Amino acid sequence: MSEKKFSKKHEWVSLDGDVATVGITKHATEMLGDIVFVEVPDAGKAVEKEGQAAVVESTKAASDVYSPISGEITEGNKAIADDPGSVNTDPEGASWFFKLKIKDKGEYDSLMSKDEYDKFCKENPS
Amino acid sequence: MEVQKTALYNYHKNLGAKFVPFAGYEMPIQYKDGIVKEHISTRTHAGFFDVSHMGQFFLEGDETLIESLEKIIPADLKNLKINHSKYSFLLNNEGGIIDDLIITRTEKGFCIILNAACKENDIKQISQFLKKHHKHLLNNNLSLIALQGPKSVEILEKLIPGVANLKFMTGNNFDYEGENLYVTRSGYTGEDGFEISISNTKVEKLIDYLISNEVKPIGLGARDTLRLEAGLCLYGHDLNEKINPVEANLKWAIAKKRKEVGGFNGWEKIKNLLANGSEKIRVGIKPDGKVIARENTKIFSLDNNEIGFVTSGTFGPSVNAPVAMGYVKSEFSEVGTSIQLEVRGKKYGGKISELPFYKKSYVK
C-alpha cells in the first residue's frame, strides 16, 4: 500500500497497484457528527475525478462523497452501509467507502500529502 | 434585525456548544458529545434544554379575557383550572395554524408559551381580540429551561421540594433562592420532565445544580430527534398557516365543547372537516431500510402516483431506525400502508406507521 493522499473535499486515497481505496477523513467525520446512513457504489460503476460516488448522512444532513480519482468501481464497502456508525470510529481504516481501478496515476500524485492536508484543514476551518 | 442571545449564551459557549442561527437567536445545535449521545442521555438519565428563545406571554384580565382568547384558541379556557395547561393553537380565518402553543391558567389570567419564530406575529394576532383593559406582557426577563428524562423528578425534587407532586400538564409556583419560580410538568421529548420559568439572573445557578447532578446540556439537534420520535410537530415544518388541525391529525387538541359550539376562527371550515374528513392528513412514516427521508421527500403509492410529502425526517437514535412524518392523501393514511419515498432520484419502500415512534412515559 502506498502512502495516503488527501483531497480538498476531505476524502483520502491509498493505492495498491492500480486499485485505489477511498474513504472520508477523520476531520470530515468530526464536521459531520454522528453518521447514520451510508450509500456506497456498486461494482462496475464508472466515476470521474471529483464526481459524486457515494452518500453519507449524519443526524444533521446528507452529503455527497466524491471520488478524488477517476476509474471503475471494483467494490463498495457493504459493512459501512450496514453499520454507518463505524465510519465515526475508524474512518481512515476499516471504514473505507469504495475501491476502484484507476486510469491515471497522475491524478493520485497530484493530491495532497498528509502534512499538506492538515495545513489545508487549519487554514479552512468550517 | 440583530441576532439575539439567551441569558445562557456564554454558559453554552463554555460547555462547548456549536451554535446555529435559529428564529433570530444564536442557539446551541449540539455540545461536545454530539446529537446521538445527547438524545440517549435524555432518554436514559436527564438532559436540560435552554428554550428561553420561546415567548413567555402573560395575559391578565376578567372573564372577558377568556371570551377574547377563545376566538383565536380552540381550547376550553372557561373550564381550564388554575395551574392546568393545554396544548392548543392560534387559528386564522381559514382554520390554518398560526402557531402551536401551550396555554396555562394562572391566578390572574393566562400564560402562553409561543414558538420563537412566531412570537411577534402571534402577539399581533392575539391583540386583535383583546379589550383595552386586558393587560399583556412578553416577559424577556425570564429564561425557560426544559428538564427532560426519567431522572428529572428525582433531581429537581431535591432542589425544589414539591415538584414531584405535579401531574403531567399542570404547574405551580415554587420558592427558589428567595425568588418565585413557575414549574410545569411538561416537555416536548416524550419523556417525563419539567419546564422551569426562572429569572435571567438566577438561571445560571439552576444550571450549575443540574450539571452537578450529571444532567447533560442538550442542543436543538437532539431536541429535534427526540420530539420526532415522540410524534410531536415542529411549527414551520409539520405545521403552518395553510394546514388546519384536522389535516395535522391534531383534532384531539380541539376541546370537545368547542367542537360542538364553535365560536373560533375558521370554525365553519373545521366543522365541515370534522364531519367529512380532510383530503390529506399527517402520518408517521417508517422507511423500510436505513435510508433517511428528509423534509420535502416526495411520497408515492406503489403504483407510482405522487400522494404526499415528508415534513420532518431523521434517524431516530432510540428507535434505531429512520423515522419521518409527512402528509399523504387520506386514503393512504392507514397504519401499515406500503408507500415509496423518493430520495436522490431513487424510490425506496416504506410504511405508514403509528405515532409516536417511541412510547411516552408521562406521569399522569
Side-chain angles (χ1 to χ4, degrees):
Chain A
M1 280 276 199
S2 67
E3 63 159 328
K4 274 201 181 88
K5 293 273 207 174
F6 297 85
S7 77
K8 287 184 178 172
K9 291 188 169 151
H10 307 286
E11 292 96 13
W12 57 264
V13 186
S14 66
L15 202 56
D16 186 5
D18 62 353
V19 174
T21 303
V22 177
I24 65 172
T25 65
K26 188 161 194 309
H27 179 78
T29 61
E30 283 162 5
M31 289 191 297
L32 286 166
D34 303 302
I35 292 167
V36 292
F37 176 79
V38 171
E39 190 176 83
V40 293
D42 293 328
K45 187 185 173 188
V47 292
E48 294 300 314
K49 179 179 163 73
E50 289 173 11
Q52 191 263 335
V55 176
V56 59
E57 292 198 41
S58 70
T59 39
K60 281 176 270 183
S63 317
D64 286 327
V65 177
Y66 303 93
S67 182
I69 198 159
S70 38
E72 189 184 300
I73 302 290
T74 57
E75 189 185 353
N77 189 356
K78 295 286 182 236
I80 61 168
D82 291 339
D83 181 14
S86 69
V87 179
N88 287 108
T89 45
D90 194 12
E92 297 189 22
S95 297
W96 51 275
F97 271 60
F98 52 89
K99 293 180 195 269
L100 73 171
K101 195 168 178 186
I102 66 164
K103 290 190 284 199
D104 178 5
K105 187 168 177 294
E107 289 179 350
Y108 167 82
D109 294 332
S110 68
L111 294 167
M112 289 181 278
S113 68
K114 173 84 177 133
D115 286 349
E116 285 168 335
Y117 176 68
D118 288 344
K119 196 169 158 234
F120 170 78
C121 289
K122 257 185 210 142
E123 285 166 1
N124 299 277
S126 53
Chain B
M1 198 171 75
E2 202 186 327
V3 178
Q4 302 188 68
K5 291 170 180 169
T6 69
L8 284 175
Y9 179 82
N10 286 322
Y11 203 112
H12 294 308
K13 219 172 180 174
N14 291 334
L15 288 170
K18 267 193 210 172
F19 291 91
V20 291
F22 181 84
Y25 285 78
E26 278 290 303
M27 296 302 291
I29 179 114
Q30 65 168 81
Y31 300 81
K32 284 178 195 148
D33 284 350
I35 294 171
V36 171
K37 278 194 185 144
E38 289 173 25
H39 177 114
I40 299 293
S41 70
T42 304
R43 291 254 187 265
T44 55
H45 184 74
F48 78 84
F49 307 67
D50 180 13
V51 288
S52 306
H53 55 315
M54 299 184 86
Q56 298 186 62
F57 188 55
F58 293 86
L59 292 139
E60 289 181 18
D62 52 15
E63 284 296 301
T64 60
L65 175 63
I66 293 175
E67 285 164 32
S68 295
L69 292 176
E70 283 198 347
K71 287 185 178 137
I72 190 167
I73 299 173
D76 183 3
L77 300 179
K78 232 172 240 130
N79 291 307
L80 186 61
K81 291 184 198 144
I82 289 177
N83 291 323
H84 284 239
S85 307
K86 285 282 175 202
Y87 174 75
S88 192
F89 357 81
L90 301 177
L91 296 176
N92 64 27
N93 287 328
E94 274 73 56
I97 299 172
I98 299 168
D99 197 5
D100 63 339
L101 53 87
I102 301 277
I103 183 163
T104 304
R105 184 89 177 245
T106 61
E107 304 259 342
K108 291 177 180 168
F110 295 92
C111 171
I112 310 181
I113 306 296
L114 302 164
N115 278 306
C118 307
K119 62 188 179 187
E120 301 294 337
N121 179 50
D122 289 346
I123 291 167
K124 261 189 227 161
Q125 302 294 331
I126 295 169
S127 298
Q128 288 178 22
F129 296 96
L130 296 179
K131 306 258 189 256
K132 280 214 172 96
H133 66 280
H134 297 154
K135 286 192 226 162
H136 63 84
L137 169 73
L138 180 69
N139 196 336
N140 292 317
N141 297 322
L142 293 174
S143 290
L144 189 64
I145 302 300
L147 171 65
Q148 301 280 290
K151 298 283 180 211
S152 301
V153 58
E154 187 185 316
I155 292 165
L156 198 62
E157 177 70 17
K158 272 193 288 173
L159 186 72
I160 307 166
V163 295
N165 298 326
L166 293 172
K167 301 282 182 231
F168 187 61
M169 294 299 272
T170 70
N172 219 330
N173 293 290
F174 294 89
D175 182 68
Y176 173 64
E177 299 268 318
E179 211 168 306
N180 186 63
L181 283 190
Y182 197 77
V183 181
T184 56
R185 194 142 197 183
S186 55
Y188 220 61
T189 61
E191 294 298 327
D192 183 25
F194 300 91
E195 286 170 308
I196 306 155
S197 175
I198 181 169
S199 78
N200 290 339
T201 55
K202 286 277 195 287
V203 65
E204 288 199 4
K205 197 152 191 193
L206 171 71
I207 301 302
D208 283 340
Y209 168 80
L210 295 177
I211 287 177
S212 72
N213 282 273
E214 282 156 48
V215 178
K216 289 270 164 62
I218 314 296
L220 291 175
R223 184 168 171 81
D224 194 50
T225 55
L226 288 159
R227 70 90 196 166
L228 185 46
E229 281 189 344
L232 300 167
C233 292
L234 179 61
Y235 195 84
H237 299 264
D238 310 303
L239 304 176
N240 62 51
E241 294 210 15
K242 296 216 163 76
I243 291 171
N244 61 62
V246 178
E247 291 170 333
N249 214 346
L250 295 172
K251 60 183 179 192
W252 59 266
I254 304 176
K256 188 165 173 280
K257 195 182 105 193
R258 307 297 312 276
K259 277 179 193 158
E260 288 158 9
V261 183
F264 52 85
N265 274 356
W267 157 237
E268 283 300 322
K269 180 156 181 190
I270 287 175
K271 185 165 76 171
N272 185 24
L273 288 164
L274 284 169
N276 302 313
S278 56
E279 243 172 74
K280 61 175 180 186
I281 192 157
R282 181 176 63 94
V283 291
I285 297 158
K286 265 189 147 175
D288 288 338
K290 283 190 189 297
V291 75
I292 296 168
R294 295 188 187 270
E295 189 172 5
N296 296 326
T297 297
K298 287 180 180 172
I299 306 172
F300 292 84
S301 62
L302 293 185
D303 52 1
N304 294 316
N305 289 313
E306 194 172 333
I307 55 165
F309 54 91
V310 170
T311 50
S312 286
T314 189
F315 176 80
S318 303
V319 179
N320 196 26
V323 290
M325 293 199 296
Y327 285 82
V328 295
K329 289 185 179 167
S330 296
E331 61 263 38
F332 294 94
S333 64
E334 200 175 314
V335 170
T337 305
S338 291
I339 53 161
Q340 301 186 87
L341 300 154
E342 189 181 84
V343 178
R344 290 178 288 271
K346 233 163 86 182
K347 292 204 179 89
Y348 294 84
K351 281 192 180 60
I352 305 298
S353 162
E354 274 182 344
L355 290 174
F357 300 103
Y358 182 85
K359 212 173 168 308
K360 296 177 171 95
S361 45
Y362 302 133
V363 173
K364 301 218 172 169

